[in-house]
Amino acid sequence: MMTKIFIASIIYLTVTVTLCTVRAVKGPTPEDRLIAINVIGTKTTVIIAVVSCILKESYFLDVALVYALISFVASMAIANFIEGGGSQID
């Protein structure tokens, strides 16, 4: 029963990631795109964690943590790029 709930949640999250991808591509502002990319990273981390629960493999949690860290660093770099007017990354 729990596996079916996990699979349904993965499908739901995948659909919402697709919608966030549309927002990231269309914008209209760079801030909207940044938030959409951040949400995609968060949802992907959750999907990896749920897959870890389904497969009962704990090493996927390590992958989820590393993915979350990379997503955070990328979001900070993009925010810094937007704040600088898009001309340079410090």
Side-chain angles (χ1 to χ4, degrees):
M1 180 66 185
M2 287 302 292
T3 303
K4 290 180 182 178
I5 294 172
F6 286 151
I7 291 172
S9 66
I10 288 174
I11 292 169
Y12 175 75
L13 287 170
T14 303
V15 169
T16 57
V17 164
T18 304
L19 295 174
C20 287
T21 302
V22 171
R23 173 57 72 186
V25 170
K26 291 181 79 174
T29 66
E31 290 82 10
D32 290 335
R33 292 181 174 144
L34 173 65
I35 292 171
I37 291 170
N38 198 9
V39 169
I40 290 169
T42 302
K43 289 182 181 196
T44 303
T45 303
V46 173
I47 289 172
I48 293 170
V50 172
V51 168
S52 173
C53 290
I54 291 172
L55 298 178
K56 297 181 173 78
E57 297 289 342
S58 62
Y59 64 88
F60 276 118
L61 294 176
D62 296 333
V63 173
L65 287 173
V66 170
Y67 188 86
L69 179 64
I70 292 171
S71 177
F72 174 73
V73 170
S75 294
M76 290 297 109
I78 294 169
N80 197 10
F81 180 75
I82 291 171
E83 185 180 73
S87 61
Q88 61 181 357
I89 297 177
D90 291 331

